């Protein structure tokens, strides 16, 4: 701890002082229409309050669950990690998924004291479909139509401080024209995940589909983004990430785009040490940071 001109700077826990964590499993954070939505919460052992990452899983909006994922290792680095289940298509169509993510953020703020969490340092981390949902959560702060306030804790904000987006789609209407030749399926077909998510063939409901594009909601006060995308991705064209990054930068939002030359849709390329380090450094700078508490100057 250092005292400078009446400002006390309390540095957050480092990886060396964290290391271990306590797992709280299957916590219910919302119950839409009687369906329990669960999260697993990993809380670092040691002093807090701890910065939090909300992790949203992959699965093309139609499958997957809260187990596993690239964000979980951050629990050994001093970050609490809330790995979240959200409602899946086609049974639940858009915007149920982002409503669930926002409800999870609000739940964390409402229960921060109980679990030794810092309500002012909450970040979003998503992969594939989860990256898409997390990006929209990041850009749509204050948009009532996506808030899902009925899911609870509406007195709390669902805004986040950072977004880490691993190869998430951006503009569903352009996936087919931007895709690499390694996937022969028609991205606009009614049986494909984008249309299942929207509940309609996307090219026949363009206005509705635009509500699932994070670019629609970008404003200059959006949080910093780290976007990581493989150039060999057959499912999410890398141009989707380029579009999002360019739109963020053009609006004055802090955005970093990392294109992985040998990266596909996930896989071992993203586990290379240099890419993990990029994520760690981004989170440590933009989310963990020093906690600054102002006090009146003390005369000597």
């Amino acid at each position: 701890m250092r005292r400078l001109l009446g400002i006390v700077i309390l540095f957050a826990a480092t990886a060396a002082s964290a290391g271990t964590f306590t797992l709280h499993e299957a916590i219910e954070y919302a119950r839409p229409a009687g369906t329990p939505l669960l999260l697993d919460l990993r809380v670092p052992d040691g002093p807090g309050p701890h910065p939090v990452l909300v992790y949203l899983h992959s699965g093309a909006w139609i499958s997957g669950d809260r187990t596993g994922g690239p964000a979980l290792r951050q629990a050994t680095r001093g970050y609490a990690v809330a790995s979240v289940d959200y409602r899946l298509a086609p049974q639940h169509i858009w915007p149920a998924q982002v409503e669930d993510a926002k409800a999870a953020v609000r739940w964390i703020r409402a229960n921060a004291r109980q679990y030794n969490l810092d309500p002012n340092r909450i970040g979003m981390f998503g992969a594939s479909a989860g990256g898409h949902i997390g990006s929209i959560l990041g850009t749509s702060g204050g948009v009532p139509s996506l808030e899902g306030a009925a899911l609870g804790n509406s007195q709390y904000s669902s805004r986040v401080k950072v977004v880490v987006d691993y190869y998430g789609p951006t503009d569903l209407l352009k996936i087919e024209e931007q895709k690499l030749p390694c996937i022969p399926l028609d991205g606009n077909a009614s049986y494909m995940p984008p249309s299942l998510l929207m509940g309609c063939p996307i090219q026949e409901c363009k206005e509705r589909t635009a509500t699932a594009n994070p670019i629609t909601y970008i404003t200059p006060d959006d949080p910093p983004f780290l976007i990581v995308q493989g150039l060999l991705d057959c499912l999410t064209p890398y141009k989707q990430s380029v579009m999002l990054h360019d739109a963020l930068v053009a609006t004055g939002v802090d955005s970093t785009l990392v294109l992985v030359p040998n990266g596909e849709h996930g896989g071992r390329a993203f586990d290379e040490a240099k890419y993990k380090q990029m994520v760690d450094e981004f989170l440590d700078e933009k989310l963990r940071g020093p906690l600054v508490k102002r006090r009146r100057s003390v005369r000597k």
Side-chain angles (χ1 to χ4, degrees), residues 180-202:
L180 299 179
C182 47
I183 183 167
L185 298 175
D186 179 3
N188 292 323
S190 61
Y191 57 82
M192 290 291 283
S195 293
L196 296 178
L197 173 69
M198 301 312 303
C200 53
I202 55 174

Side-chain angles (χ1 to χ4, degrees), residues 42-65:
R42 291 164 170 82
V43 181
D45 299 323
H50 303 286
V52 188
L53 282 174
V54 177
Y55 178 68
L56 301 176
H57 63 78
S58 59
W61 309 285
I62 61 175
S63 64
D65 59 39

Side-chain angles (χ1 to χ4, degrees), residues 160-179:
V160 293
K161 192 173 180 181
V162 299
V163 174
V164 178
D165 169 18
Y166 266 27
Y167 43 86
T170 297
D171 188 338
L172 305 183
L173 297 170
K174 293 185 177 180
I175 289 179
E176 177 62 21
E177 68 182 70
Q178 293 177 341
K179 71 180 184 182

Side-chain angles (χ1 to χ4, degrees), residues 207-241:
E207 185 174 345
R208 173 173 172 75
T209 303
T211 67
N213 185 340
I215 295 175
T216 301
Y217 308 103
I218 292 175
T219 53
D221 62 345
D222 289 339
F225 272 65
L226 174 63
I227 305 169
V228 186
Q229 172 76 64
L231 288 175
L232 303 181
D233 194 326
C234 295
L235 298 181
T236 300
Y238 74 88
K239 291 182 180 179
Q240 294 272 299
S241 289

